[in-house]
Amino acid sequence: MAPIKSFVGKFTKAAFTVAAPRSSSSNSPATDTNTAGTSCIISTGDISSFCLEKMCKLFKAAPVDNLYLSTGEERGVCLHKPVEKGGVVLSIPIESCFRDDEPPRWYERAAGLEEDVEAGGDTNNNNGDDNDITDYERYNPSAWASRLTASLLDMELNQGRGEINADDDLTLGREIWQSLLPDKDRLRASLPVHWGEEVLATSKCTALELAVDSAYFARATAVMNLSEELQRALDCKDEGAEVEMLERKCHNALDIVQTRACRVERKCEDGVQWGPPLRILAPIFDFINHGSSRTKAGDGSANASFGIENELTFDMHNAKLVVRASRDILEGEEVLIDYGDSARPAWRCLTSYGFVPEYNIDLEIDTEEEEQNVEHVAELWMNGLRFEVDPHSVPFDLVEVAAAQALLDQEDDDEVEEEEEEEDNLLTPYVARAIAKRATEAAFHLITEPEMVDSEEDWDSPELVHAASLAGLLRWSQHRVLLAFADNLKLFSSSPSEEAE
């Protein structure tokens, strides 16, 4: 284990905003896999593999026969045959994907009416109210999730009306894709934005709670707007039961978009961006699980990357989403891509995708790039102040607080008096040991079972058990980070004194 760096090195800043998701989350098998119009029933790996091959043909993806879905609690995409570094793992046309720049017409209703009025159309429309969306709102980058969600809802809307062509490859492919999606209730239980306050409190993570508070209100607004537009499209009565049902459908669709959509750049051959980033929901691609690119090559590390290819400036007609191997991928090995900063640290990954990434300090690659989000961090409270620490660095503010506290508590201690002479280095061995002691205490506090107060929560329900288990996994992840942080501080304090870099 490498010793901790001087406090002058990296300063871990707290970040509470929810980053945009990049790709799929945990691909747990659905409990109800029967979808009208498809005979694909998940029961064995062979059936799942057949479904994936069938989707490749229907979506015009390539290669057709080299991918299969692994079985188990968390499904993933594996290879029948090896792929060399730089080789194509998957290529799927953008036209086969859901795109945030192509929302359904009912979602664009208001803007369309305004255009009709300007063209001399019907002006006696009572729907042109303050809720009408403008062109900016339609393509506002921050509203991409609502636009993709509207496309998903539109697909279900057309299926319910029978307005689909059963012979259409894209329609059939999307039906099979729907049948392979995670169970809605389990996915809902995976996302902290749906957790009750009691379950959320068991995570013992302030950053998670703040992120959920922020996401909750943004989601509530999006669901309200989507359900209102759906009511108009379906000509539904404004009754409690119907509104509640529509809102639940909107939440379920948003869960899919949040955990399975990805972001790609639209660039020319010379690398110049010609348009805003495109958010897409790509069937098949969305079954690829996360692997960190900041860990040593091996189990759990990213072995592939993705991007748009064959695009022309202002023309995405022939563009494809292409996944290429970033290193040699062996036969039977799972394909893994890095979901980006939205998957780090662990609390943000849980917020965005509904799973807690595994932490193994022995596989972690230490990076000197300060602007990157740190792979694994944990909260540490000291003197009523909150800090985020990682195994290889200590925040400067934490060192200042600990040094000041050490002077107050140990004014007559000879060891402190000797270390006061090192004015240029606040992170003395004494201060390092004090921080390590506090980190160790905090680490063991995390693994003590939270006190369960009397409540109306049904703690025996599968969904609540699943949510509570994820909160527990987050506590254990932070526990391991704090112990590694404390161990490195102890190693630092026992090494010969060095000047800060």
Side-chain angles (χ1 to χ4, degrees), residues 364-393:
E364 191 172 21
I365 298 175
D366 186 25
T367 175
E368 296 289 344
E369 299 184 33
E370 298 184 13
E371 295 183 358
Q372 291 187 341
N373 285 347
V374 180
E375 185 79 8
H376 297 286
V377 301
E379 292 182 345
L380 180 62
W381 289 84
M382 196 164 191
N383 288 8
L385 299 176
R386 175 186 173 276
F387 305 94
E388 285 196 343
V389 300
D390 72 87
H392 302 291
S393 65

PDB file of all heavy atoms in Angstrom, residues 364-393:
ATOM      1  N   GLU A 364      -6.473  -0.141  -7.737  1.00  0.00           N
ATOM      2  CA  GLU A 364      -6.679   1.252  -8.082  1.00  0.00           C
ATOM      3  C   GLU A 364      -5.404   1.885  -8.611  1.00  0.00           C
ATOM      4  O   GLU A 364      -4.313   1.670  -8.079  1.00  0.00           O
ATOM      5  CB  GLU A 364      -7.178   2.026  -6.860  1.00  0.00           C
ATOM      6  CG  GLU A 364      -7.660   3.424  -7.202  1.00  0.00           C
ATOM      7  CD  GLU A 364      -8.330   4.087  -6.016  1.00  0.00           C
ATOM      8  OE1 GLU A 364      -8.069   3.655  -4.884  1.00  0.00           O
ATOM      9  OE2 GLU A 364      -9.105   5.032  -6.230  1.00  0.00           O
ATOM     10  N   ILE A 365      -5.552   2.669  -9.672  1.00  0.00           N
ATOM     11  CA  ILE A 365      -4.432   3.412 -10.245  1.00  0.00           C
ATOM     12  C   ILE A 365      -4.480   4.822  -9.692  1.00  0.00           C
ATOM     13  O   ILE A 365      -5.485   5.522  -9.827  1.00  0.00           O
ATOM     14  CB  ILE A 365      -4.515   3.456 -11.787  1.00  0.00           C
ATOM     15  CG1 ILE A 365      -4.450   2.047 -12.373  1.00  0.00           C
ATOM     16  CG2 ILE A 365      -3.389   4.316 -12.361  1.00  0.00           C
ATOM     17  CD1 ILE A 365      -4.644   2.011 -13.871  1.00  0.00           C
ATOM     18  N   ASP A 366      -3.410   5.261  -9.063  1.00  0.00           N
ATOM     19  CA  ASP A 366      -3.370   6.612  -8.509  1.00  0.00           C
ATOM     20  C   ASP A 366      -3.134   7.596  -9.640  1.00  0.00           C
ATOM     21  O   ASP A 366      -2.225   7.439 -10.451  1.00  0.00           O
ATOM     22  CB  ASP A 366      -2.250   6.716  -7.472  1.00  0.00           C
ATOM     23  CG  ASP A 366      -2.262   8.061  -6.767  1.00  0.00           C
ATOM     24  OD1 ASP A 366      -3.336   8.676  -6.722  1.00  0.00           O
ATOM     25  OD2 ASP A 366      -1.190   8.471  -6.277  1.00  0.00           O
ATOM     26  N   THR A 367      -3.983   8.623  -9.730  1.00  0.00           N
ATOM     27  CA  THR A 367      -3.867   9.601 -10.808  1.00  0.00           C
ATOM     28  C   THR A 367      -3.457  10.952 -10.256  1.00  0.00           C
ATOM     29  O   THR A 367      -3.838  11.332  -9.149  1.00  0.00           O
ATOM     30  CB  THR A 367      -5.195   9.750 -11.578  1.00  0.00           C
ATOM     31  OG1 THR A 367      -5.059  10.793 -12.553  1.00  0.00           O
ATOM     32  CG2 THR A 367      -6.343  10.100 -10.629  1.00  0.00           C
ATOM     33  N   GLU A 368      -2.650  11.696 -11.012  1.00  0.00           N
ATOM     34  CA  GLU A 368      -2.191  13.014 -10.597  1.00  0.00           C
ATOM     35  C   GLU A 368      -3.101  14.115 -11.133  1.00  0.00           C
ATOM     36  O   GLU A 368      -2.897  15.281 -10.858  1.00  0.00           O
ATOM     37  CB  GLU A 368      -0.761  13.253 -11.119  1.00  0.00           C
ATOM     38  CG  GLU A 368       0.271  12.303 -10.526  1.00  0.00           C
ATOM     39  CD  GLU A 368       0.550  12.582  -9.064  1.00  0.00           C
ATOM     40  OE1 GLU A 368       0.191  13.678  -8.586  1.00  0.00           O
ATOM     41  OE2 GLU A 368       1.105  11.705  -8.385  1.00  0.00           O
ATOM     42  N   GLU A 369      -4.121  13.746 -11.939  1.00  0.00           N
ATOM     43  CA  GLU A 369      -4.980  14.748 -12.552  1.00  0.00           C
ATOM     44  C   GLU A 369      -6.006  15.216 -11.533  1.00  0.00           C
ATOM     45  O   GLU A 369      -6.975  14.536 -11.236  1.00  0.00           O
ATOM     46  CB  GLU A 369      -5.666  14.180 -13.805  1.00  0.00           C
ATOM     47  CG  GLU A 369      -4.676  13.760 -14.884  1.00  0.00           C
ATOM     48  CD  GLU A 369      -5.403  13.292 -16.132  1.00  0.00           C
ATOM     49  OE1 GLU A 369      -6.476  13.827 -16.419  1.00  0.00           O
ATOM     50  OE2 GLU A 369      -4.896  12.393 -16.815  1.00  0.00           O
ATOM     51  N   GLU A 370      -5.803  16.439 -11.007  1.00  0.00           N
ATOM     52  CA  GLU A 370      -6.639  16.934  -9.922  1.00  0.00           C
ATOM     53  C   GLU A 370      -8.060  17.241 -10.382  1.00  0.00           C
ATOM     54  O   GLU A 370      -8.988  17.222  -9.577  1.00  0.00           O
ATOM     55  CB  GLU A 370      -6.008  18.187  -9.320  1.00  0.00           C
ATOM     56  CG  GLU A 370      -4.643  17.932  -8.700  1.00  0.00           C
ATOM     57  CD  GLU A 370      -4.096  19.186  -8.040  1.00  0.00           C
ATOM     58  OE1 GLU A 370      -4.871  20.134  -7.861  1.00  0.00           O
ATOM     59  OE2 GLU A 370      -2.906  19.201  -7.716  1.00  0.00           O
ATOM     60  N   GLU A 371      -8.272  17.556 -11.655  1.00  0.00           N
ATOM     61  CA  GLU A 371      -9.586  17.950 -12.125  1.00  0.00           C
ATOM     62  C   GLU A 371     -10.525  16.753 -12.249  1.00  0.00           C
ATOM     63  O   GLU A 371     -11.731  16.909 -12.333  1.00  0.00           O
ATOM     64  CB  GLU A 371      -9.476  18.675 -13.475  1.00  0.00           C
ATOM     65  CG  GLU A 371      -8.721  20.006 -13.376  1.00  0.00           C
ATOM     66  CD  GLU A 371      -8.697  20.726 -14.702  1.00  0.00           C
ATOM     67  OE1 GLU A 371      -9.230  20.171 -15.686  1.00  0.00           O
ATOM     68  OE2 GLU A 371      -8.150  21.844 -14.768  1.00  0.00           O
ATOM     69  N   GLN A 372      -9.996  15.552 -12.281  1.00  0.00           N
ATOM     70  CA  GLN A 372     -10.833  14.380 -12.386  1.00  0.00           C
ATOM     71  C   GLN A 372     -11.489  14.079 -11.050  1.00  0.00           C
ATOM     72  O   GLN A 372     -10.932  14.312  -9.985  1.00  0.00           O
ATOM     73  CB  GLN A 372     -10.016  13.164 -12.834  1.00  0.00           C
ATOM     74  CG  GLN A 372      -9.533  13.235 -14.273  1.00  0.00           C
ATOM     75  CD  GLN A 372      -8.884  11.933 -14.683  1.00  0.00           C
ATOM     76  OE1 GLN A 372      -8.481  11.132 -13.851  1.00  0.00           O
ATOM     77  NE2 GLN A 372      -8.795  11.713 -15.970  1.00  0.00           N
ATOM     78  N   ASN A 373     -12.730  13.557 -11.126  1.00  0.00           N
ATOM     79  CA  ASN A 373     -13.375  13.098  -9.908  1.00  0.00           C
ATOM     80  C   ASN A 373     -12.627  11.881  -9.383  1.00  0.00           C
ATOM     81  O   ASN A 373     -12.276  10.981 -10.131  1.00  0.00           O
ATOM     82  CB  ASN A 373     -14.835  12.726 -10.187  1.00  0.00           C
ATOM     83  CG  ASN A 373     -15.710  13.950 -10.354  1.00  0.00           C
ATOM     84  OD1 ASN A 373     -15.303  15.052 -10.027  1.00  0.00           O
ATOM     85  ND2 ASN A 373     -16.907  13.751 -10.848  1.00  0.00           N
ATOM     86  N   VAL A 374     -12.387  11.852  -8.075  1.00  0.00           N
ATOM     87  CA  VAL A 374     -11.672  10.745  -7.473  1.00  0.00           C
ATOM     88  C   VAL A 374     -12.551   9.501  -7.523  1.00  0.00           C
ATOM     89  O   VAL A 374     -13.768   9.555  -7.352  1.00  0.00           O
ATOM     90  CB  VAL A 374     -11.290  11.084  -6.024  1.00  0.00           C
ATOM     91  CG1 VAL A 374     -10.545   9.931  -5.372  1.00  0.00           C
ATOM     92  CG2 VAL A 374     -10.428  12.349  -6.009  1.00  0.00           C
ATOM     93  N   GLU A 375     -11.910   8.370  -7.769  1.00  0.00           N
ATOM     94  CA  GLU A 375     -12.648   7.113  -7.937  1.00  0.00           C
ATOM     95  C   GLU A 375     -13.405   6.719  -6.671  1.00  0.00           C
ATOM     96  O   GLU A 375     -14.585   6.394  -6.704  1.00  0.00           O
ATOM     97  CB  GLU A 375     -11.670   5.997  -8.321  1.00  0.00           C
ATOM     98  CG  GLU A 375     -12.346   4.666  -8.649  1.00  0.00           C
ATOM     99  CD  GLU A 375     -12.926   4.646 -10.038  1.00  0.00           C
ATOM    100  OE1 GLU A 375     -12.682   5.607 -10.804  1.00  0.00           O
ATOM    101  OE2 GLU A 375     -13.622   3.689 -10.368  1.00  0.00           O
ATOM    102  N   HIS A 376     -12.730   6.743  -5.530  1.00  0.00           N
ATOM    103  CA  HIS A 376     -13.354   6.314  -4.278  1.00  0.00           C
ATOM    104  C   HIS A 376     -13.076   7.346  -3.189  1.00  0.00           C
ATOM    105  O   HIS A 376     -11.924   7.664  -2.908  1.00  0.00           O
ATOM    106  CB  HIS A 376     -12.817   4.952  -3.842  1.00  0.00           C
ATOM    107  CG  HIS A 376     -13.126   3.847  -4.807  1.00  0.00           C
ATOM    108  ND1 HIS A 376     -14.378   3.299  -4.933  1.00  0.00           N
ATOM    109  CD2 HIS A 376     -12.344   3.209  -5.719  1.00  0.00           C
ATOM    110  CE1 HIS A 376     -14.357   2.358  -5.859  1.00  0.00           C
ATOM    111  NE2 HIS A 376     -13.138   2.293  -6.355  1.00  0.00           N
ATOM    112  N   VAL A 377     -14.134   7.866  -2.606  1.00  0.00           N
ATOM    113  CA  VAL A 377     -14.007   8.817  -1.506  1.00  0.00           C
ATOM    114  C   VAL A 377     -14.950   8.411  -0.382  1.00  0.00           C
ATOM    115  O   VAL A 377     -15.860   7.606  -0.581  1.00  0.00           O
ATOM    116  CB  VAL A 377     -14.326  10.273  -1.945  1.00  0.00           C
ATOM    117  CG1 VAL A 377     -13.410  10.727  -3.050  1.00  0.00           C
ATOM    118  CG2 VAL A 377     -15.780  10.396  -2.363  1.00  0.00           C
ATOM    119  N   ALA A 378     -14.715   8.978   0.781  1.00  0.00           N
ATOM    120  CA  ALA A 378     -15.586   8.733   1.926  1.00  0.00           C
ATOM    121  C   ALA A 378     -15.726  10.022   2.711  1.00  0.00           C
ATOM    122  O   ALA A 378     -14.845  10.888   2.686  1.00  0.00           O
ATOM    123  CB  ALA A 378     -15.019   7.621   2.811  1.00  0.00           C
ATOM    124  N   GLU A 379     -16.832  10.149   3.418  1.00  0.00           N
ATOM    125  CA  GLU A 379     -17.057  11.320   4.251  1.00  0.00           C
ATOM    126  C   GLU A 379     -16.346  11.165   5.588  1.00  0.00           C
ATOM    127  O   GLU A 379     -16.314  10.084   6.166  1.00  0.00           O
ATOM    128  CB  GLU A 379     -18.551  11.511   4.506  1.00  0.00           C
ATOM    129  CG  GLU A 379     -19.338  11.904   3.290  1.00  0.00           C
ATOM    130  CD  GLU A 379     -20.801  12.115   3.618  1.00  0.00           C
ATOM    131  OE1 GLU A 379     -21.252  11.693   4.706  1.00  0.00           O
ATOM    132  OE2 GLU A 379     -21.483  12.688   2.763  1.00  0.00           O
ATOM    133  N   LEU A 380     -15.799  12.259   6.058  1.00  0.00           N
ATOM    134  CA  LEU A 380     -15.180  12.269   7.380  1.00  0.00           C
ATOM    135  C   LEU A 380     -15.560  13.569   8.069  1.00  0.00           C
ATOM    136  O   LEU A 380     -15.283  14.660   7.565  1.00  0.00           O
ATOM    137  CB  LEU A 380     -13.655  12.154   7.263  1.00  0.00           C
ATOM    138  CG  LEU A 380     -12.882  12.161   8.589  1.00  0.00           C
ATOM    139  CD1 LEU A 380     -13.282  10.956   9.447  1.00  0.00           C
ATOM    140  CD2 LEU A 380     -11.384  12.159   8.343  1.00  0.00           C
ATOM    141  N   TRP A 381     -16.219  13.439   9.200  1.00  0.00           N
ATOM    142  CA  TRP A 381     -16.606  14.612   9.984  1.00  0.00           C
ATOM    143  C   TRP A 381     -15.577  14.846  11.090  1.00  0.00           C
ATOM    144  O   TRP A 381     -15.166  13.925  11.777  1.00  0.00           O
ATOM    145  CB  TRP A 381     -17.986  14.395  10.597  1.00  0.00           C
ATOM    146  CG  TRP A 381     -19.098  14.424   9.609  1.00  0.00           C
ATOM    147  CD1 TRP A 381     -19.544  13.390   8.836  1.00  0.00           C
ATOM    148  CD2 TRP A 381     -19.902  15.559   9.271  1.00  0.00           C
ATOM    149  NE1 TRP A 381     -20.577  13.794   8.029  1.00  0.00           N
ATOM    150  CE2 TRP A 381     -20.820  15.133   8.283  1.00  0.00           C
ATOM    151  CE3 TRP A 381     -19.945  16.874   9.707  1.00  0.00           C
ATOM    152  CZ2 TRP A 381     -21.774  15.984   7.728  1.00  0.00           C
ATOM    153  CZ3 TRP A 381     -20.890  17.730   9.143  1.00  0.00           C
ATOM    154  CH2 TRP A 381     -21.789  17.283   8.167  1.00  0.00           C
ATOM    155  N   MET A 382     -15.177  16.120  11.227  1.00  0.00           N
ATOM    156  CA  MET A 382     -14.230  16.470  12.278  1.00  0.00           C
ATOM    157  C   MET A 382     -14.552  17.877  12.781  1.00  0.00           C
ATOM    158  O   MET A 382     -14.646  18.815  11.979  1.00  0.00           O
ATOM    159  CB  MET A 382     -12.793  16.393  11.766  1.00  0.00           C
ATOM    160  CG  MET A 382     -11.747  16.354  12.867  1.00  0.00           C
ATOM    161  SD  MET A 382     -10.138  15.809  12.226  1.00  0.00           S
ATOM    162  CE  MET A 382      -9.259  15.544  13.766  1.00  0.00           C
ATOM    163  N   ASN A 383     -14.774  17.994  14.079  1.00  0.00           N
ATOM    164  CA  ASN A 383     -15.127  19.284  14.685  1.00  0.00           C
ATOM    165  C   ASN A 383     -16.355  19.911  14.024  1.00  0.00           C
ATOM    166  O   ASN A 383     -16.414  21.129  13.796  1.00  0.00           O
ATOM    167  CB  ASN A 383     -13.953  20.257  14.628  1.00  0.00           C
ATOM    168  CG  ASN A 383     -12.852  19.882  15.597  1.00  0.00           C
ATOM    169  OD1 ASN A 383     -12.885  18.817  16.210  1.00  0.00           O
ATOM    170  ND2 ASN A 383     -11.861  20.742  15.743  1.00  0.00           N
ATOM    171  N   GLY A 384     -17.326  19.066  13.671  1.00  0.00           N
ATOM    172  CA  GLY A 384     -18.561  19.573  13.083  1.00  0.00           C
ATOM    173  C   GLY A 384     -18.463  19.942  11.619  1.00  0.00           C
ATOM    174  O   GLY A 384     -19.428  20.445  11.041  1.00  0.00           O
ATOM    175  N   LEU A 385     -17.335  19.693  10.984  1.00  0.00           N
ATOM    176  CA  LEU A 385     -17.137  20.005   9.571  1.00  0.00           C
ATOM    177  C   LEU A 385     -17.039  18.712   8.767  1.00  0.00           C
ATOM    178  O   LEU A 385     -16.494  17.716   9.237  1.00  0.00           O
ATOM    179  CB  LEU A 385     -15.869  20.844   9.371  1.00  0.00           C
ATOM    180  CG  LEU A 385     -15.866  22.208  10.071  1.00  0.00           C
ATOM    181  CD1 LEU A 385     -14.508  22.890   9.875  1.00  0.00           C
ATOM    182  CD2 LEU A 385     -16.984  23.096   9.530  1.00  0.00           C
ATOM    183  N   ARG A 386     -17.555  18.757   7.542  1.00  0.00           N
ATOM    184  CA  ARG A 386     -17.564  17.570   6.689  1.00  0.00           C
ATOM    185  C   ARG A 386     -16.469  17.677   5.631  1.00  0.00           C
ATOM    186  O   ARG A 386     -16.311  18.719   4.978  1.00  0.00           O
ATOM    187  CB  ARG A 386     -18.923  17.421   6.001  1.00  0.00           C
ATOM    188  CG  ARG A 386     -18.991  16.283   5.001  1.00  0.00           C
ATOM    189  CD  ARG A 386     -20.318  16.293   4.258  1.00  0.00           C
ATOM    190  NE  ARG A 386     -20.312  15.314   3.188  1.00  0.00           N
ATOM    191  CZ  ARG A 386     -19.823  15.518   1.985  1.00  0.00           C
ATOM    192  NH1 ARG A 386     -19.271  16.691   1.684  1.00  0.00           N
ATOM    193  NH2 ARG A 386     -19.860  14.573   1.061  1.00  0.00           N
ATOM    194  N   PHE A 387     -15.728  16.585   5.440  1.00  0.00           N
ATOM    195  CA  PHE A 387     -14.672  16.521   4.428  1.00  0.00           C
ATOM    196  C   PHE A 387     -14.852  15.246   3.616  1.00  0.00           C
ATOM    197  O   PHE A 387     -15.429  14.263   4.101  1.00  0.00           O
ATOM    198  CB  PHE A 387     -13.282  16.528   5.072  1.00  0.00           C
ATOM    199  CG  PHE A 387     -13.042  17.699   5.988  1.00  0.00           C
ATOM    200  CD1 PHE A 387     -13.279  17.586   7.355  1.00  0.00           C
ATOM    201  CD2 PHE A 387     -12.591  18.896   5.478  1.00  0.00           C
ATOM    202  CE1 PHE A 387     -13.064  18.657   8.202  1.00  0.00           C
ATOM    203  CE2 PHE A 387     -12.368  19.988   6.319  1.00  0.00           C
ATOM    204  CZ  PHE A 387     -12.615  19.871   7.683  1.00  0.00           C
ATOM    205  N   GLU A 388     -14.369  15.266   2.381  1.00  0.00           N
ATOM    206  CA  GLU A 388     -14.330  14.057   1.561  1.00  0.00           C
ATOM    207  C   GLU A 388     -12.872  13.667   1.380  1.00  0.00           C
ATOM    208  O   GLU A 388     -12.055  14.472   0.910  1.00  0.00           O
ATOM    209  CB  GLU A 388     -15.009  14.275   0.205  1.00  0.00           C
ATOM    210  CG  GLU A 388     -16.519  14.316   0.297  1.00  0.00           C
ATOM    211  CD  GLU A 388     -17.193  14.148  -1.058  1.00  0.00           C
ATOM    212  OE1 GLU A 388     -16.496  14.319  -2.093  1.00  0.00           O
ATOM    213  OE2 GLU A 388     -18.386  13.829  -1.091  1.00  0.00           O
ATOM    214  N   VAL A 389     -12.550  12.447   1.752  1.00  0.00           N
ATOM    215  CA  VAL A 389     -11.166  11.983   1.698  1.00  0.00           C
ATOM    216  C   VAL A 389     -11.074  10.761   0.796  1.00  0.00           C
ATOM    217  O   VAL A 389     -12.062  10.053   0.572  1.00  0.00           O
ATOM    218  CB  VAL A 389     -10.648  11.628   3.111  1.00  0.00           C
ATOM    219  CG1 VAL A 389     -10.710  12.838   4.024  1.00  0.00           C
ATOM    220  CG2 VAL A 389     -11.458  10.473   3.716  1.00  0.00           C
ATOM    221  N   ASP A 390      -9.894  10.536   0.256  1.00  0.00           N
ATOM    222  CA  ASP A 390      -9.630   9.314  -0.509  1.00  0.00           C
ATOM    223  C   ASP A 390      -8.341   8.695   0.019  1.00  0.00           C
ATOM    224  O   ASP A 390      -7.586   9.354   0.743  1.00  0.00           O
ATOM    225  CB  ASP A 390      -9.538   9.615  -2.010  1.00  0.00           C
ATOM    226  CG  ASP A 390      -8.279  10.361  -2.383  1.00  0.00           C
ATOM    227  OD1 ASP A 390      -7.257   9.693  -2.634  1.00  0.00           O
ATOM    228  OD2 ASP A 390      -8.314  11.607  -2.409  1.00  0.00           O
ATOM    229  N   PRO A 391      -8.056   7.450  -0.306  1.00  0.00           N
ATOM    230  CA  PRO A 391      -6.915   6.763   0.309  1.00  0.00           C
ATOM    231  C   PRO A 391      -5.562   7.408   0.065  1.00  0.00           C
ATOM    232  O   PRO A 391      -4.630   7.178   0.833  1.00  0.00           O
ATOM    233  CB  PRO A 391      -6.977   5.357  -0.317  1.00  0.00           C
ATOM    234  CG  PRO A 391      -8.406   5.171  -0.671  1.00  0.00           C
ATOM    235  CD  PRO A 391      -8.880   6.519  -1.117  1.00  0.00           C
ATOM    236  N   HIS A 392      -5.425   8.228  -0.983  1.00  0.00           N
ATOM    237  CA  HIS A 392      -4.102   8.711  -1.366  1.00  0.00           C
ATOM    238  C   HIS A 392      -3.878  10.199  -1.138  1.00  0.00           C
ATOM    239  O   HIS A 392      -2.832  10.722  -1.506  1.00  0.00           O
ATOM    240  CB  HIS A 392      -3.846   8.382  -2.840  1.00  0.00           C
ATOM    241  CG  HIS A 392      -3.937   6.930  -3.152  1.00  0.00           C
ATOM    242  ND1 HIS A 392      -3.018   6.009  -2.705  1.00  0.00           N
ATOM    243  CD2 HIS A 392      -4.868   6.223  -3.849  1.00  0.00           C
ATOM    244  CE1 HIS A 392      -3.358   4.793  -3.121  1.00  0.00           C
ATOM    245  NE2 HIS A 392      -4.481   4.900  -3.808  1.00  0.00           N
ATOM    246  N   SER A 393      -4.843  10.901  -0.575  1.00  0.00           N
ATOM    247  CA  SER A 393      -4.637  12.332  -0.333  1.00  0.00           C
ATOM    248  C   SER A 393      -5.508  12.773   0.829  1.00  0.00           C
ATOM    249  O   SER A 393      -6.457  12.095   1.204  1.00  0.00           O
ATOM    250  CB  SER A 393      -4.969  13.153  -1.593  1.00  0.00           C
ATOM    251  OG  SER A 393      -6.344  13.042  -1.900  1.00  0.00           O
TER     252      SER A 393
END
